[in-house]
Amino acid sequence: MQDDAKKRAAESALQFIQGASVVGLGTGSTAKFAIEAIAALIRDGARLKAVATSIATAALAGQLGIPLVDLNDVAEIDVTIDGADEIDPGFNMIKGGGGALTREKLVALASRKRVIIADESKLVDVLGRTRPLPVEVLPFSWRMSSRLLEKLGCKPILRQSREAAFVTDNGNYILDCECSPIREPRETERQIRLIPGVIESGLFVDIADIIVIGFQDRVEVRARPQ
Ligand code: 5RP
């Protein structure tokens, strides 16, 4: 059922790629539906190139016949469609459940339009209630970064994968930080980014332009409040 809502949101988001030539492809189970729908458009003749936000997304896009281009080889991305872990009423988000937050943020920042797709379970009143905040850190100094995150009031846990530290596509670690509630995402983001060894945080502020929310029986398209 949740998959139906994700798919509904993903397919509805395709309206925003009309006229685009370069699209950003997000990461995760919701983004996967958008990638499959974009592949179908290309099979039907759409002339699109894509920038992937992770190795997994690049692999899926490659299998589906989507022509990929490196972020360094495009001046701009027309539109990026990606998922989210939590979205607050101001369109601030937590991302990085799949560990791709750094590339996701870079691709979003290189995009003229950022469309976020999600099922209704991702809507929250305040960030940090249902999910920890992922922070990508350098392995060399992860314990120091972790201690400094604790000083900000967070409880960081090193993300694991098969009993070893999870390693991102960039060769770094993820600290999943319980910092609930995140009432001032912009300020929290600023403080986290000042911590030595932090590569990127999963707080996405002023990034989502449009959110497309899939419900069991409908889709809602919302534009960011100005
Ligand atoms: C990956 C992400 C994903 O967009 C986020 O975790 C949502 O994933 P899903 O659509 O599977 O719930 O940020 O780093």
Side-chain angles (χ1 to χ4, degrees), residues 3 13 20 35 43 47 71-73 80 86 90 119 131 148 174 178 184 193 204:
D3 272 1
I35 296 166
R43 282 196 299 277
R47 293 167 66 87
L71 180 57
N72 291 312
D73 293 333
T80 285
E86 285 190 345
D119 65 88
R131 301 293 295 259
L148 293 168
I174 299 274
E178 295 287 349
E184 305 211 22
R193 294 194 71 166
F204 282 47

Side-chain angles (χ1 to χ4, degrees), residues 6 27-31 82-85 95-101 104 122 131:
K6 290 179 182 184
T27 295
S29 59
T30 317
D82 200 353
D85 296 305
K95 283 183 52 56
L101 56 133
E104 288 173 335
K122 305 297 181 61
R131 301 293 295 259

Side-chain angles (χ1 to χ4, degrees), residues 10-143:
E11 290 176 351
S12 170
L14 289 196
Q15 63 185 289
F16 296 104
I17 65 174
Q18 272 193 5
S21 55
V22 183
V23 295
L25 303 178
T27 295
S29 59
T30 317
K32 180 171 177 281
F33 288 117
I35 296 166
E36 288 168 350
I38 289 168
L41 287 182
I42 290 172
R43 282 196 299 277
D44 288 347
R47 293 167 66 87
L48 290 170
K49 289 183 290 188
V51 177
T53 52
S54 64
I55 293 172
T57 286
L60 175 65
Q63 280 164 22
L64 295 173
I66 300 177
L68 288 170
V69 60
D70 201 286
L71 180 57
N72 291 312
D73 293 333
V74 292
E76 198 174 50
I77 296 168
D78 295 306
V79 56
T80 285
I81 301 178
D82 200 353
D85 296 305
E86 285 190 345
I87 308 168
D88 80 6
F91 284 29
N92 305 300
M93 299 183 286
I94 287 182
K95 283 183 52 56
L101 56 133
T102 299
R103 294 189 189 193
E104 288 173 335
K105 198 176 282 188
L106 289 167
V107 168
L109 292 173
S111 304
R112 281 195 294 120
K113 185 176 285 180
R114 286 76 64 113
V115 179
I116 298 298
I117 51 177
D119 65 88
E120 62 176 315
S121 71
K122 305 297 181 61
L123 299 175
V124 295
D125 290 338
V126 183
L127 294 180
R129 286 260 196 249
T130 68
R131 301 293 295 259
L133 172 65
V135 177
E136 183 162 350
V137 296
L138 276 181
F140 177 75
S141 50
W142 76 267
R143 283 189 194 278

